[in-house]
């Protein structure tokens, strides 16, 4: 059979066709569509085929624009030197490798635009929760495992791993004491 990335590549090409067909029609919507950004990170077979993350993000944006009448963020100031935390629209995360495709869509936001996970917002955000979760998942954490992050920063990966894989032991450290202090606050 086909590898997962080959099936996804076929879908990617299909999105190009939808994009071309729908560019000639316009949608009207009775609601105020949200503004959004798409962030795509591709690895493995996607890159070997020459599939580019920016082009993929643009195609997904065009399909959402045409199918749902959503408004893609016209300015990339948030991605080019601005703070993504200041962006008030919806940011869609797409991470794809040879084994899986993970799409993150924030459902809840708190003051300041930070993602609110499980009723809690990290005081010092690090990686996006979907990225941290994906990194923890790729580690294949099993019950009883000891997970060590020697460069934990603010602890985003360990916190997300502990939320998702509860029956393992987690140890984190960092040579920057300020990061360790921030991680302690995030854990509390």
């Amino acid at each position: 059979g086909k590898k997962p990335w080959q099936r996804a590549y076929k879908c990617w090409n299909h999105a190009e066709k939808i994009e071309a067909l729908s560019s000639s029609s316009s949608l009207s919507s009775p609601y105020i569509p949200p503004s959004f950004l798409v962030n795509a990170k591709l690895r493995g077979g996607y890159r070997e085929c020459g599939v580019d993350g920016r082009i993929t993000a643009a195609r997904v944006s065009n399909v959402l624009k045409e199918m749902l009448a959503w408004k893609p963020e016209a300015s990339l100031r948030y991605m080019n030197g601005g703070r993504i935390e200041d962006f008030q629209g919806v940011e869609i995360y797409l991470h794809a490798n040879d084994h899986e495709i993970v799409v993150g869509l924030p459902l809840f936001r708190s003051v300041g635009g930070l993602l609110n996970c499980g009723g809690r917002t990290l005081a010092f955000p690090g990686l996006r929760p979907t990225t941290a979760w994906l990194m923890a998942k790729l580690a294949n954490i099993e019950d009883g495992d000891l997970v060590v992050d020697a460069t934990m920063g603010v602890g985003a990966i360990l916190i997300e791993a502990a939320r998702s894989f509860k029956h393992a032991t987690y140890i984190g450290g960092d040579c920057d004491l300020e990061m360790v202090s921030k991680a302690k606050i995030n854990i509390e």
Side-chain angles (χ1 to χ4, degrees), residues 12-180:
W12 184 74
N13 283 327
H14 183 67
E16 182 180 32
K17 292 174 187 172
I18 292 173
E19 185 180 325
L21 289 173
S22 61
S23 64
S24 60
S25 66
S26 80
L27 294 176
S28 62
S29 179
Y31 70 98
I32 299 172
S35 60
F36 71 97
L37 292 170
V38 176
N39 180 3
K41 301 221 186 278
L42 308 175
R43 300 288 182 260
Y46 296 101
R47 289 189 133 179
E48 292 171 13
C49 288
V51 179
D52 182 83
R54 290 180 302 244
I55 294 170
T56 301
R59 286 187 176 165
V60 170
S61 293
N62 286 335
V63 169
L64 290 173
K65 175 184 168 192
E66 297 300 324
M67 293 179 75
L68 302 175
W70 285 17
K71 299 183 301 188
E73 178 58 42
S75 169
L76 295 180
R77 69 179 179 270
Y78 300 106
M79 303 306 275
N80 296 328
R83 290 168 30 100
I84 193 64
E85 292 86 4
D86 295 334
F87 179 62
Q88 294 300 310
V90 175
E91 185 181 8
I92 300 166
Y93 323 111
L94 174 77
H95 300 270
N97 61 36
D98 291 343
H99 306 289
E100 60 194 347
I101 298 173
V102 176
V103 178
L105 181 64
L107 299 177
F108 304 100
R109 289 196 177 259
S110 64
V111 177
L114 303 177
L115 191 61
N116 182 335
C117 294
R120 292 185 52 213
T121 300
L122 295 181
F124 300 100
L127 292 172
R128 293 180 181 101
T130 51
T131 303
W133 175 84
L134 182 59
M135 291 178 74
K137 184 177 183 316
L138 291 174
N140 294 319
I141 300 169
E142 296 180 7
D143 289 357
D145 280 354
L146 172 63
V147 179
V148 179
D149 186 348
T151 57
M152 71 175 178
V154 297
I157 296 171
L158 288 178
I159 291 168
E160 195 61 40
R163 287 179 180 167
S164 301
F165 310 100
K166 298 182 185 317
H167 301 290
T169 302
Y170 299 92
I171 298 174
D174 203 291
C175 62
D176 185 338
L177 294 179
E178 182 181 352
M179 290 292 127
V180 173

